[in-house]
Amino acid sequence: MKNRSLVSINDYSTDNISEILRRTELFEKKPVQKILDGKVVATLFFEPSTRTRLSFESAVNKLGGKVIGFTDSSSSSVSKGESLKDTIKTVANYCDLIVMRHPLEGSAKYASELSKVPIINAGDGANQHPTQTLLDMYSIIKTQGTLQNLNIFLVGDLKYGRTVHSLLMAMSRYNPVFNFISHEKLRIPDEYKMYLNNIGIKYYEHSEFEKIQYADILYMTRVQKERFSDPMEYEKTKDTYILKNDMLNDTKDNLRILHPLPRVTEVDNDVDENRKAYYFDQALNGVFTRQAIISSILDIKPENDTN
Ligand code: CP
């Protein structure tokens, strides 16, 4: 793990990913263990978050570490005009690890080049959200028993959805078939299709909400309102695909519905009671996965690790 920061899911080899998933299982078995005594983790959130920030903070608290940081940059000296560079160089003096979410693509990489402590990218614009991907992968292996040869449907905002971009890059190592369902304005960017073409991974694009009876994983996403420069474009695209419970009648027994959350309208509340809905368990898996990522980056073994 180069310089120990986690900026892109491509920073992790397949072995690194397997190690995170192994550790995640250990933390799920024993989430409270005081292995971060004396360690300080800074959470710098320049964009709103519920799950990512709170699951990171929960993860650190359960491991006996301390959290500092801000949830709104207007309460920091950024509001006085301080640069990202100066913020990172300063905060790195106060902590062992920085978890950062920022609206600019590339900001996490930039921070990792300046910081003397590791940076974890908690989402940089529409680019990447690698810790979400690792918890998604844990959710997939836990529910499917494997990461290999799965039929994965990605639905919604495939253009701006950073969780989709990271997940596609990671899962493409395990011989999936991808099915992309999106409005024509929110198609998966060409760079990802070129990547899949180059490595020989099959994908199909659909404009209808169709063929989900073949899915192992149905990964729903919200249309990312905050990334649109034209509000009318958002209004035109936001309600194109809405998953309803009766659409799941003929789906596979092993199908699980994942969603990074937050949800707006794209998954009806009636789906929540379906046993194939997995998104709230997925959010819980985020705590264990982030414990695994932090302990791995800080090179601290879980207490129940016998390896
Ligand atoms: N999945 C996710 O990133 O959620 P938050 O925006 O609430 O952190």
Side-chain angles (χ1 to χ4, degrees):
M1 299 180 199
K2 237 178 349 192
N3 93 8
R4 307 201 75 79
S5 288
L6 174 54
V7 168
S8 157
I9 195 65
N10 293 334
D11 292 339
Y12 279 12
S13 67
T14 304
D15 283 349
N16 293 152
I17 289 174
S18 299
E19 170 60 11
I20 295 295
L21 300 178
R22 186 187 73 81
R23 280 185 185 229
T24 303
E25 201 176 348
L26 294 175
F27 284 114
E28 182 169 10
K29 286 187 182 133
K30 190 177 180 197
V32 179
Q33 35 180 305
K34 303 297 174 194
I35 57 173
L36 289 189
D37 188 31
K39 298 290 183 195
V40 176
V41 174
T43 55
L44 308 186
F45 278 70
F46 294 85
E47 273 193 338
S49 168
T50 297
R51 277 145 293 273
T52 309
R53 183 177 66 80
L54 293 179
S55 64
F56 262 115
E57 296 191 1
S58 174
V60 175
N61 281 315
K62 284 173 189 283
L63 297 181
K66 295 273 188 272
V67 178
I68 59 171
F70 53 76
T71 57
D72 178 358
S73 60
S74 67
S75 68
S76 76
S77 287
V78 172
S79 65
K80 301 175 201 164
E82 187 164 43
S83 65
L84 179 59
K85 174 183 170 189
D86 290 2
T87 303
I88 293 296
K89 286 183 89 67
T90 303
V91 175
N93 289 321
Y94 306 148
C95 64
D96 300 284
L97 177 64
I98 295 174
V99 178
M100 185 181 87
R101 171 171 288 185
H102 196 282
L104 282 184
E105 293 184 26
S107 52
K109 182 164 181 9
Y110 176 69
S112 74
E113 287 162 359
L114 298 166
S115 176
K116 66 181 179 188
V117 300
I119 300 283
I120 297 180
N121 181 5
D124 62 329
N127 186 32
Q128 283 258 330
H129 194 348
T131 68
Q132 177 71 45
T133 295
L134 290 163
L135 80 88
D136 293 343
M137 295 177 84
Y138 186 69
S139 301
I140 291 171
I141 200 164
K142 208 173 147 186
T143 60
Q144 306 298 314
T146 181
L147 295 173
Q148 294 287 346
N149 306 324
L150 296 172
N151 201 352
I152 301 175
F153 281 59
L154 300 168
V155 183
D157 188 344
L158 309 186
K159 178 178 179 185
Y160 297 118
R162 57 192 172 200
T163 66
V164 167
H165 302 158
S166 304
L167 187 63
L168 178 150
M169 298 301 285
M171 287 306 295
S172 62
R173 302 178 194 193
Y174 304 91
N175 194 39
V177 174
F178 287 115
N179 281 269
F180 302 130
I181 302 180
S182 67
H183 189 283
E184 62 174 330
K185 302 266 190 210
L186 298 177
R187 292 245 163 95
I188 193 89
D190 285 345
E191 67 194 86
Y192 294 102
K193 289 193 269 186
M194 279 164 56
Y195 175 74
L196 296 177
N197 288 337
N198 285 341
I199 61 171
I201 295 294
K202 279 195 200 138
Y203 63 85
Y204 302 94
E205 290 190 278
H206 312 267
S207 50
E208 300 298 319
F209 209 151
E210 60 183 359
K211 309 251 186 226
I212 61 169
Q213 69 271 28
Y214 303 111
D216 299 306
I217 294 293
L218 182 55
Y219 194 90
M220 299 296 299
T221 63
R222 163 183 79 91
V223 176
Q224 308 272 302
K225 183 179 186 181
E226 63 275 28
R227 311 275 174 236
F228 283 73
S229 49
D230 178 356
M232 286 309 293
E233 286 290 307
Y234 172 70
E235 290 301 321
K236 275 190 233 162
T237 54
K238 71 183 168 80
D239 291 327
T240 316
Y241 303 104
I242 298 179
L243 182 66
K244 297 177 192 294
N245 198 35
D246 59 12
M247 294 163 68
L248 297 168
N249 289 343
D250 297 324
T251 54
K252 289 171 73 171
D253 198 48
N254 65 303
L255 171 73
R256 290 296 176 273
I257 301 146
L258 270 55
H259 191 315
L261 303 177
R263 145 176 73 179
V264 187
T265 55
E266 62 282 355
V267 179
D268 250 13
N269 282 303
D270 67 359
V271 177
D272 297 0
E273 304 314 316
N274 193 305
R275 67 175 186 82
K276 296 176 183 176
Y278 193 73
Y279 25 90
F280 292 115
D281 302 283
Q282 183 186 356
L284 171 63
N285 291 338
V287 176
F288 315 128
T289 310
R290 287 169 173 132
Q291 289 181 312
I293 295 166
I294 292 168
S295 71
S296 166
I297 288 178
L298 294 179
D299 204 13
I300 297 170
K301 262 178 103 162
E303 283 173 358
N304 53 341
D305 189 347
T306 51
N307 267 11

